[in-house]
Amino acid sequence: MILDINKKNETAQAGDREMKVLRAFFPQCFNANAEFDIEAFKAALPKGTTITDETSGFNWLGKNYARMLTNMDTTTLIRPDEEHNEKPENRNSRNVYISGDNLDALQHLVKSYSGKVKVIYIDPPYNTGSDGFVYNDKFNFTTEELAKRLDISPERAERILSMTRRGSASHAAWLTFMLPRLSFARDLLTDDGVIFISIDDNEQANLKRLCDEVFGEENFIGNIVRPTGQTTGQDSGGLGSSFDYILVYSKNEELELNGLELTEKDKLRFQNQDDVGFYAYDQLRKTGSNDKREDRPNMYYGIENPDGEILYPIAAAGYDSCWRVERKTYDNLVKEDMILWKKTKRDNGEIWWPYVKYYLDGRTKRPSPLWTGLEGNKKAAREVRNLFNGKKVFDFPKPVDLLLRVFNIACEKDSIIIDFFGGSSTTAHAVMQKNSEDGGYRKFILIQLPEECKPDSEAAKAGYKTIDEIGMERIKRAAKKIKAENPLFAGDLGFKHYTLEEPQKDALLQMEKFDPTSNLISRITVDDFGLETVLRTWLVADGYGLTEDAEKIMLGKYKAYWKNDHLYMIHPDHDFDATSIVALMDKYNGEPFSPHNIVIFGYSFGFTHREELQKNLRTLKDGNKTLTVNIDVRY
């Protein structure tokens, strides 16, 4: 638990995660001393792999510090909001709202949701100088400690620490803030997952280079340009701006986004009709800057026209071009009657020319990088005000329509969607709205720092103390509105709420003094943290997430908690006696009960009871050679 994590964090270094991946997939590249052999690694690569010693590395003050933070674990605990979570609309909800620092939250989430999140949308601080962004963190490294950990000079270590403590809003500080968060975001994405990141001109260029490094330059899908509906910077003597951007990256370069529905204007192209339906057509010959024969030789071949003559893709200018498809695909198009031949003028005469048909039925269009036709920022602000009885409780929310378009092109009906800069909860509102429209069961996880509302703000005057309070209230009000507009909708309109908390200093001091080999029970008790808090933190750490619960089971007089492969023993051991041991052995022998991990709250169990449990499990395993049970004592 916390003590264990603190010990691991003391030795965490930049690159630990990367080395773990290399050990997992290239064990042959490590020698007996656990040293990485770069020559063995090169030999393990496929023949023809290009290896270069040139680099266009992207560096800034604090980069290795940020990489080190990526290799550290959070010491926070996950406290359930039990009163909220037990309300009828929330009890069985699969949606989640987390109040806390998003770096801590992401460090928890990767333990349960790694590789499971289809879409991430974030609207991070733009670092405009007026948006309130400053970098501060909670780590208390000394100059000497940091210099040793990062293998840098004390002078450079002091510059980094100065940046992390003084509330810097420099580009370097912003990048240091973003790197670990984006690294965890990458780990959360499914193999076909996509991340959308809103940004403006202040950090757009830096964000692009950072994302190229984190997600891979080859996984850049595009840069969406969105009119905001208002102009900024018009008095600066420059051009001003009426746009912001959304950088889009995938986990896999082969990803194809979903198509968008055609507008009425789009449908005007489909004026032709045959027995199948309405259709449009385009030239079979490829046109554009990369349409020469040498660019795509596999798309240069002869085809037979209606007169039996062989036709090649020769442009009107006379140079060899190429077709849009390879030969095999063309043959299939012919079989499916998708090739349309028309007479066209060429060299003072007419020739047969091939076109490809496209039918209207089921047709979608490729998303454009220019997203017009959406509500602007003013309308989005009005959208939130309408939910809050005309009060302006949040500045610069994003439009629901924007998130709906993101979902249209990037996720399915059952996707998990994360927003770790939750803000006004537009993402949660849009998830519920989309589900109500198409019967989907998408799930959201939102994270928001409990940042205090400014004392003179309309939000504070309305009684809201923190931003996360506003975010949660927006979800409740949006859910009520959606239900009123769609009374037959029976989907998920609730959410589970959790708060991330650091242990109290007194508890930390007691942890440091505790001797696990002693038979004395520690002064630390489960009540110092809360039973449900310890249990939920462990469930997430063991991969069960934030919406799966453990089953209570009785071992004699002792109450334990069972979830799949884990049995959790958290309560003090004064109710754990010989009958408890017998009850546990009977469960293993007689019921469909075979957790391979018995997890013990180390401060609740004395040394004798732990040894007795170990002895009886050894006896049990002697009688069942296929059974493996591990006792995991957590502090």
Side-chain angles (χ1 to χ4, degrees), residues 41 47 49 55 143 164 184 200 216 241 251 272 317-318 337 369 406 416 436 445 447 451 464 472 493 537 583 606 632:
F41 179 66
K47 290 184 178 180
T49 301
T55 180
T143 301
T164 67
F184 286 119
D200 74 356
S241 176
K251 186 80 170 283
N272 307 282
D337 194 26
V406 166
I416 297 176
S436 73
I445 301 176
I447 305 164
E451 180 182 350
Y464 298 104
M472 287 187 283
L493 294 174
T537 304
D632 179 6

Side-chain angles (χ1 to χ4, degrees), residues 402-570:
L402 173 65
L403 273 299
L404 290 177
R405 188 172 293 188
V406 166
F407 302 158
N408 284 340
I409 67 172
C411 70
E412 282 73 50
K413 287 187 175 183
D414 61 347
S415 296
I416 297 176
I417 297 156
I418 285 185
D419 181 346
F420 53 87
F421 289 95
S424 69
S425 293
T426 298
T427 300
H429 186 163
V431 168
M432 296 187 296
Q433 180 70 40
K434 184 65 177 172
N435 286 342
S436 73
E437 291 173 358
D438 67 4
Y441 36 97
R442 301 165 188 84
K443 299 164 281 290
F444 66 75
I445 301 176
L446 259 65
I447 305 164
Q448 176 57 46
L449 186 70
E451 180 182 350
E452 292 186 1
C453 297
K454 295 178 181 178
D456 58 346
S457 67
E458 202 163 337
K461 293 174 183 176
Y464 298 104
K465 296 179 181 178
T466 56
I467 300 297
D468 60 320
E469 287 184 8
I470 297 172
M472 287 187 283
E473 182 63 23
R474 198 261 180 92
I475 298 173
K476 297 173 187 176
R477 294 182 181 225
K480 185 177 180 180
K481 180 175 183 290
I482 289 168
K483 186 64 176 178
E485 293 173 348
N486 304 271
L488 297 180
F489 176 61
D492 191 349
L493 294 174
F495 63 95
K496 297 285 181 67
H497 176 226
Y498 300 93
T499 300
L500 303 184
E501 296 180 354
E502 292 282 2
Q504 298 295 317
K505 288 185 178 179
D506 289 346
L508 288 172
L509 290 172
Q510 291 299 322
M511 288 180 198
E512 292 174 2
K513 295 177 181 178
F514 178 64
D515 179 7
T517 63
S518 169
N519 210 30
L520 296 175
I521 298 297
S522 169
R523 289 172 57 189
I524 301 171
T525 70
V526 67
D527 293 334
D528 289 322
F529 308 102
L531 170 68
E532 294 297 331
T533 298
V534 173
L535 182 57
R536 178 53 58 188
T537 304
W538 284 359
L539 284 168
V540 172
D542 294 325
Y544 300 116
L546 289 156
T547 58
E548 296 285 339
D549 293 322
E551 176 187 346
K552 296 175 184 177
I553 63 170
M554 296 304 298
L555 304 175
K557 297 178 182 179
Y558 188 82
K559 184 188 295 182
Y561 302 86
W562 173 37
K563 183 64 179 178
N564 296 354
D565 207 32
H566 290 77
L567 178 68
Y568 299 104
M569 302 172 69
I570 303 173

Side-chain angles (χ1 to χ4, degrees), residues 182-222:
L182 291 180
S183 295
F184 286 119
R186 176 196 60 206
D187 293 344
L188 288 168
L189 288 175
T190 60
D191 288 342
D192 59 349
V194 192
I195 183 169
F196 297 77
I197 310 171
S198 284
I199 202 66
D200 74 356
D201 287 322
N202 290 281
E203 295 290 357
Q204 189 270 346
N206 282 328
L207 179 62
K208 174 66 169 62
R209 296 192 70 185
L210 180 61
C211 287
D212 283 347
E213 185 168 302
V214 172
F215 298 99
E217 189 174 357
E218 70 280 5
N219 292 325
F220 175 59
I221 294 178

Side-chain angles (χ1 to χ4, degrees), residues 33-54:
N33 296 321
E35 297 167 333
F36 181 63
D37 186 337
I38 187 65
E39 295 304 322
F41 179 66
K42 290 178 181 178
L45 298 175
K47 290 184 178 180
T49 301
T50 301
I51 299 174
T52 178
D53 58 2
E54 296 181 4

